[in-house]
Amino acid sequence: MGSLVVVGAQWGDEGKGRIVDLLSERADVVVRFQGGANAGHTIVAEGLEYILHLIPSGMVRGKTCLIGNGVVLDLSALFEEMDHLIARGMQLEGKLWISDRAHITLPYHRLLDAAREAANPARKIGTTMRGIGPTYVDKMMRIGVRVCDLFDEELLCEKVAANWEDKTHGLRHLTDEQRPHPEAVIAQYREFAERLKPFVTDCSVILDEARRAGEHILFEGAQGTGLDIDFGTYPYVTSSNTISGGACTGSGFGPTYIDHVAGIAKAYTTRVGEGPFPTLMEPEIEEKCRTIGHEFGATTGRKRLCGWFDAMLVRHAVRVNGLTSLILTKLDVLDEFEEIKLCTGYTYQGEPLKHFPSSLKVLAACEPVYETLPGWMTPTGAARQFSDLPAAAQTYIRRLEEVCSVPIGLISVSPSRESYIALDDSLLNYEFKRA
């Protein structure tokens, strides 16, 4: 048995869907443990593209997939995904399980999210406006609606009515026709409950049974470390713990059962939304990188900002996640760059910083310290062994290992399933040795 947590080591969009799809080949169970329909994982398999927002990427390989208690669940989005997969011939019953403790994103959460972003443009977060933040607010205020509440009609009516009263002020700008009414919400979610019922269970129990049976378990993170509610660039973050610790609290799997934590990072850096971005490329170079890398959000279609690899950010991710290896994606995007910059650290007011700063004011004033390495100007998409890579690409990868203080276990060189280089077979085989 091996248990592997996969998390983003940058600001999200690192290619987790494609990597989880690869790693799930030998997994038995794949678990999503945080976030909501604001995450988008893209997988290309047998010529078909799958964009998943809530259902774990392992479903494309027919694995047992769990949506844990740490996820906030938009049922409309979930059913749309389910219908898309069913239309492609996938069997979901008996394969997809949803925690009875997961919280539900309701129509008023999406409206509140949009209203709060619009209310103060100078302080907007840059959310996807999918209602994720307001759902987590209700969870922490202990007034949220959970999956198990959908099957208790009296409790559901009571919670929706109380929440509606609580949200009235935030929706005062809407007309009566624009507001979702409690009766309509309850009627809709009563129907949703019927469809959802065969998929609902206590996911912690399934995980414990899988562990005891010696099965391989893969935990799939959404977003990235830089967007973690505690350790990201607060307040320009998501509303959940995206780091590896969230795999335990978001699924009911004990921390002593985790064998390995892998962080995914692009060979450069991207981010969407608001907030500082120290290694932002110059406009012409950024546009080239965005075009080659197809850097547009899977959920929103927004342009991603593109920057050079930020080792200061990734070292932060190594520490707070306890990363045991790094998985590098999109190396091939750099194939056409004559020179490649690598940020090895920051200076602030002329002095070097030892660690990634918590203060956004400090981060915004930081200057990146760059090394410039030669590019390789050779296609890498056909490489399947490290030795197949151009010498300059090998040098770049080894330098990343040095400045990030973590070994690189896998390298992705194109979006397809087969286009990777394995430097550590234990990631694919789940044969992890305990320290």
Side-chain angles (χ1 to χ4, degrees), residues 248-432:
C248 299
T249 58
S251 69
F253 195 72
T256 57
Y257 304 143
I258 300 294
D259 294 306
H260 196 88
V261 183
I264 303 180
K266 285 176 180 167
Y268 49 100
T269 310
T270 63
R271 79 170 297 170
V272 293
E274 307 297 319
F277 189 19
T279 66
L280 182 66
M281 294 171 172
E282 295 179 353
E284 186 177 336
I285 298 173
E286 183 194 17
E287 189 57 37
K288 177 180 177 179
C289 184
R290 181 183 295 119
T291 301
I292 296 172
H294 305 289
E295 294 296 355
F296 300 90
T299 299
T300 63
R302 290 182 294 182
K303 285 184 178 181
R304 295 174 184 146
L305 299 175
C306 298
W308 300 110
F309 189 94
D310 188 339
M312 190 73 153
L313 172 64
V314 174
R315 284 197 298 271
H316 174 69
V318 171
R319 185 179 69 254
V320 300
N321 288 289
L323 296 187
T324 42
S325 68
L326 196 65
I327 297 171
L328 196 68
T329 63
K330 291 198 167 184
L331 180 71
D332 54 304
V333 174
L334 299 181
D335 288 351
E336 298 179 30
F337 289 78
E338 292 183 9
E339 291 185 338
I340 297 168
K341 289 184 178 180
L342 165 60
C343 171
T344 59
Y346 303 156
T347 60
Y348 175 65
Q349 296 182 346
E351 295 295 325
L353 290 183
K354 291 183 178 180
H355 306 293
F356 191 81
S358 56
S359 165
L360 244 64
K361 187 175 181 181
V362 171
L363 183 61
C366 283
E367 293 290 335
V369 177
Y370 285 121
E371 291 180 2
T372 301
L373 289 84
W376 40 94
M377 300 297 291
T378 304
T380 57
R384 297 295 178 268
Q385 302 289 332
F386 188 70
S387 57
D388 295 337
L389 292 172
Q394 294 183 34
T395 298
Y396 180 64
I397 290 162
R398 293 309 186 198
R399 185 61 182 141
L400 293 184
E401 289 182 316
E402 290 173 359
V403 296
C404 295
S405 299
V406 66
I408 293 175
L410 287 173
I411 303 165
S412 169
V413 290
S414 100
S416 68
R417 277 178 167 173
E418 302 78 17
S419 301
Y420 68 89
I421 297 166
L423 302 181
D424 179 1
D425 287 335
S426 69
L427 280 170
L428 300 172
N429 300 326
Y430 292 80
E431 296 175 352
F432 307 117

Side-chain angles (χ1 to χ4, degrees), residues 38 72 105 109-110 112-113 116 127-140 237-240:
N38 56 339
V72 292
T105 295
H109 291 128
R110 291 189 291 272
L112 284 168
D113 205 358
R116 288 172 183 172
T127 77
T128 59
M129 293 187 282
R130 296 293 199 273
I132 308 304
T135 309
Y136 278 114
V137 167
D138 281 4
K139 176 177 179 176
M140 294 307 171
V237 293
T238 193
S239 300
S240 59

Side-chain angles (χ1 to χ4, degrees), residues 17-76:
R18 178 256 187 277
I19 295 299
V20 171
D21 172 62
L22 171 63
L23 297 177
S24 66
E25 182 179 7
R26 296 187 186 178
D28 299 295
V29 182
V30 184
V31 190
R32 172 77 182 278
F33 59 86
Q34 50 77 215
N38 56 339
H41 291 172
T42 303
I43 300 162
V44 178
E46 298 176 358
L48 296 176
E49 183 179 72
Y50 299 83
I51 299 178
L52 302 174
H53 300 278
L54 287 161
I55 296 175
S57 302
M59 186 56 69
V60 177
R61 291 190 184 269
K63 304 298 180 177
T64 297
C65 289
L66 275 55
I67 297 177
N69 56 278
V71 176
V72 292
L73 204 58
D74 183 326
L75 293 182
S76 296

